[in-house]
C-alpha cells in the first residue's frame, strides 16, 4: 500500500471520529498547529520519522508536545498511534487528506485561478459566483498572475482544469496550421 493510501486511511478514521464528536474545526486546528511544528523543526521531523530511533524516545517527544499543545483526544490518540507504528512520515499527507475531506463535507471546492494581469475584486467575485453556480458548491479561490498565458484565464477546480488562455488558443491554432500543412 502506498504512503498516500495509508495516510488516507488514517485521515478517514480520524475524520469519522471527530465528525461523530462534532469537533471537526478543533481537530483541524490541532492538525495544522502540529504540522507547522513538524515542518518548521528539522530536528523534530528527524526524531519522529527516523525508524532507527527507539519508540520510547519518540513517545516522550510526542507526550511533551501533546502536553504543550493540548490537542483533542482523537488527535492526541492519532499522534501516539503514528508514533507507535513508526508511521510519522505519513503525517503531512494525512493532514492534506483530512482537510480535503473537511472541504468535501462542507461542500467547498478550492479553485486556483491564473490570469495574465491581476483581477479586480469585483471580477474575482463574479468568477467565484460563476464557478459556484457551475459546480453547485461554495468556491474558495487562490489567485495567481502569470504573464506567460498572455491573456484570458486558466482555472483548476478540484481535478478539472478550464483553460481559456490566449497562449493555449495560439498553440491550438499553430497545431491546426501545422496539421493542414
Amino acid at each position: 500500500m502506498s504512503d498516500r493510501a495509508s495516510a488516507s486511511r488514517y485521515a478517514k478514521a480520524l475524520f469519522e471520529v471527530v465528525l461523530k464528536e462534532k469537533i471537526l474545526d478543533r481537530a483541524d486546528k490541532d492538525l495544522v498547529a502540529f504540522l507547522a511544528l513538524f515542518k518548521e523543526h528539522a530536528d523534530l521531523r528527524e526524531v519522529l520519522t527516523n525508524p532507527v530511533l527507539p519508540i520510547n524516545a519518540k513517545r516522550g517527544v510526542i507526550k511533551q508536545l501533546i502536553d504543550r499543545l493540548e490537542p483533542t483526544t482523537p488527535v492526541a490518540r492519532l499522534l501516539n498511534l503514528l508514533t507507535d507504528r513508526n508511521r510519522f512520515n505519513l503525517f503531512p499527507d494525512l493532514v492534506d487528506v483530512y482537510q480535503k475531506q473537511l472541504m468535501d463535507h462542507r461542500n467547498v471546492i478550492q479553485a486556483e485561478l491564473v490570469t495574465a494581469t491581476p483581477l479586480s475584486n469585483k471580477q474575482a467575485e463574479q468568477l467565484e459566483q460563476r464557478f459556484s453556480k457551475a459546480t453547485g458548491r461554495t468556491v474558495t479561490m487562490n489567485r495567481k498572475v502569470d504573464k506567460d498565458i498572455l491573456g484570458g484565464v486558466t482555472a483548476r477546480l478540484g481535478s478539472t482544469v478550464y483553460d481559456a488562455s490566449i497562449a493555449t488558443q495560439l498553440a491550438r491554432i499553430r497545431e491546426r496550421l501545422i496539421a493542414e500543412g
Side-chain angles (χ1 to χ4, degrees), residues 45-55 58 86-87 89:
R45 248 188 341 271
E46 178 62 27
V47 166
L48 295 177
T49 60
N50 188 336
V52 177
L53 292 176
I55 297 293
K58 294 178 186 185
N86 247 342
R87 301 294 283 172
N89 61 309

Side-chain angles (χ1 to χ4, degrees), residues 15 69 120 140:
F15 189 84
L69 296 175
S120 70
T140 60

Side-chain angles (χ1 to χ4, degrees), residues 93-162:
D93 282 342
L94 184 155
V95 174
D96 183 53
V97 171
Y98 176 88
Q99 290 180 324
K100 286 179 179 165
Q101 286 182 308
L102 185 59
M103 288 179 69
D104 283 346
H105 176 74
R106 293 186 172 143
N107 205 27
V108 174
I109 190 167
Q110 182 74 38
E112 292 182 28
L113 191 70
V114 180
T115 57
T117 58
L119 293 177
S120 70
N121 286 338
K122 183 178 179 182
Q123 289 170 318
E125 286 175 19
Q126 289 172 339
L127 280 172
E128 205 170 277
Q129 289 171 357
R130 286 183 186 165
F131 290 142
S132 288
K133 188 175 182 180
T135 61
R137 299 172 86 177
T138 302
V139 175
T140 60
M141 259 189 338
N142 289 333
R143 297 185 272 178
K144 289 188 207 174
V145 174
D146 180 359
K147 294 179 194 294
D148 291 340
I149 69 169
L150 303 176
V153 63
T154 63
R156 177 183 303 271
L157 284 95
S159 61
T160 305
V161 176
Y162 300 95

